[in-house]
Amino acid sequence: MKLTRISQLGAIAAVAALALTGCASSGSNTPAESASPTATSSDVAFQIDPSLSGTITAGGSSAQSNAQQAWTTAYNATAKNVKINYDKSQGSGGGVTNFLSGAYDFAGSDSPLNADQTAQSKALCTDGGINIPIYLDGVAVIFNIPGVTSLKLSGETIAKIFALQITDWSDPAITKDNGTALPAGAITTVARSDGSGTTQNFTNYLAATQSSVWTFPAGKDWPVQGNVSKQKGGSGVVEAVKAGSGTIGYADHSAIGSLNAASIVTNGTAVAFSGEAVSKTFDVAAVDNSNGVPGDLSKKFDYTKLTADAYPIPLVSYAVVCSTFKDAKQAELVKSYLGFVTSSLGQSVAEKNAGSAPLPDSVLAAAAKTLAAIK
């Protein structure tokens, strides 16, 4: 459905306010400066019902947090009586746990439900939980090296650093990647201590592309023990890297603030994160990976399809939601909010205020179909 004129103007006004104040996130590294987006005839749009009222309780992915703040503000410009509580402190793992317990209307998760979680969800959701892509970004490899503002790292070098096989910044592998030697100094790796979808996406990349070096399983829990600084939440990793010296970590790109991020060398080409580069990754490497529940839109990445202009560590984050709600009014609220989030305008809100990349229209259209079928 097309956005009504009143709803469209209200949402656009909210986008403009966010762009001017930067209220979506004090940690966003991509402040909005351009004019507000407008809907066009080709947009995937959604009609917001201003008469809705109630409370949506959700949480999980800290990667989504900046976008969730922006989405809430824009949505509430029209649906003024809907309160949206999104708790980013849980991380993806905690978000899914709370969703499966019935505490959340939806979970934000940087990875879709696994087979066991999908089976568990049937006790809550009848047919089961479904995963709807709502947010596209990348995992940034962040660093704080005295005197160094630009860094290139190949996938192999990244794997060796985080596997604790490379422990000094003057290592020949780092010198080779950069064409010049960095000052000698100990490397401190920083990782998540909590169950994290960002960790899942980062280890997916390492396990798929560097299996000869990265012998650990891909998963939400950081697998390397030893001289690792483990921090809760993406903000904890960012703050630890920022406060340290010779530190390196990983985080959703929207959350890294003023920290520098490495360009990733793939097939001899160093690619920095950009919305265009991660959109290219989605276009060439994202493949369907349904959990078997009707309407599920889970994706996985085929890293063998990466091209030289694609950012190689993508992050797709989901809303995990029931296909059938026990409360029809609650279903209506959640469908309305996520309908806005997965509209072209909602994606523009996230792009402008969280620095993410908009999902392709084909994915947004599929999300609209899935949401329409939720009961």
Side-chain angles (χ1 to χ4, degrees):
M1 289 184 291
K2 285 294 176 185
L3 206 63
T4 64
R5 182 65 175 165
I6 292 174
S7 298
Q8 179 182 339
L9 291 175
I12 291 172
V15 177
L18 285 167
L20 289 171
T21 62
C23 66
S25 167
S26 59
S28 174
N29 65 308
T30 311
E33 297 175 353
S34 60
S36 300
T38 57
T40 71
S41 60
S42 63
D43 279 346
V44 177
F46 182 82
Q47 180 176 336
I48 301 172
D49 181 354
S51 70
L52 290 174
S53 63
T55 300
I56 296 172
T57 303
S61 165
S62 58
Q64 289 184 23
S65 61
N66 295 340
Q68 288 287 351
Q69 290 179 54
W71 285 326
T72 296
T73 300
Y75 180 80
N76 284 153
T78 298
K80 300 180 186 297
N81 296 316
V82 178
K83 185 175 182 181
I84 302 160
N85 297 320
Y86 184 88
D87 183 1
K88 69 176 183 179
S89 70
Q90 299 298 308
S92 295
V96 169
T97 297
N98 287 341
F99 168 74
L100 292 173
S101 75
Y104 284 168
D105 295 309
F106 73 87
S109 178
D110 301 337
S111 58
L113 297 177
N114 61 32
D116 287 343
Q117 291 165 339
T118 299
Q120 292 176 46
S121 72
K122 293 182 179 180
L124 177 70
C125 304
T126 308
D127 289 334
I130 51 178
N131 306 277
I132 303 174
I134 62 174
Y135 177 84
L136 174 61
D137 210 334
V139 179
V141 177
I142 51 178
F143 63 92
N144 186 5
I145 309 168
V148 178
T149 58
S150 177
L151 183 66
K152 300 175 184 177
L153 295 173
S154 67
E156 182 179 4
T157 302
I158 293 169
K160 287 181 176 179
I161 289 172
F162 282 94
L164 307 182
Q165 296 177 22
I166 292 176
T167 59
D168 196 282
W169 288 109
S170 63
D171 191 276
I174 299 175
T175 301
K176 180 181 178 182
D177 287 346
N178 290 274
T180 186
L182 273 63
I187 297 174
T188 299
T189 61
V190 184
R192 292 281 289 267
S193 62
D194 52 331
S196 161
T198 307
T199 299
Q200 177 79 64
N201 282 269
F202 187 45
T203 56
N204 282 347
Y205 162 75
L206 294 173
T209 66
Q210 307 300 326
S211 58
S212 64
V213 175
W214 189 261
T215 57
F216 307 95
K220 290 185 176 181
D221 298 315
W222 187 248
V224 182
Q225 304 301 319
N227 185 28
V228 182
S229 173
K230 292 188 177 181
Q231 305 293 327
K232 183 176 181 179
S235 59
V237 172
V238 169
E239 290 306 313
V241 172
K242 185 183 296 184
S245 179
T247 45
I248 186 169
Y250 60 92
D252 173 71
H253 196 272
S254 73
I256 70 174
S258 60
L259 278 172
N260 294 307
S263 295
I264 313 301
V265 180
T266 305
N267 296 324
T269 301
V271 182
F273 174 87
S274 69
E276 181 179 3
V278 80
S279 292
K280 181 68 173 180
T281 306
F282 193 98
D283 288 341
V284 300
V287 296
D288 293 337
N289 189 38
S290 173
N291 68 358
V293 179
D296 183 73
L297 300 175
S298 299
K299 303 289 183 181
K300 66 178 180 179
F301 286 94
D302 182 349
Y303 296 94
T304 66
K305 296 182 178 180
L306 291 175
T307 55
D309 53 349
Y311 184 74
I313 321 178
L315 183 151
V316 174
S317 200
Y318 300 85
V320 181
V321 64
C322 280
S323 54
T324 303
F325 277 67
K326 295 179 180 178
D327 185 326
K329 180 181 178 182
Q330 208 61 24
E332 184 180 24
L333 289 177
V334 174
K335 289 169 67 172
S336 177
Y337 177 63
L338 293 181
F340 170 69
V341 165
T342 54
S343 70
S344 295
L345 190 57
Q347 291 293 295
S348 293
V349 168
E351 181 182 18
K352 189 170 282 290
N353 295 283
S356 59
L359 287 160
D361 281 354
S362 60
V363 174
L364 302 184
K369 183 177 180 180
T370 287
L371 288 167
I374 290 176
K375 301 185 289 289

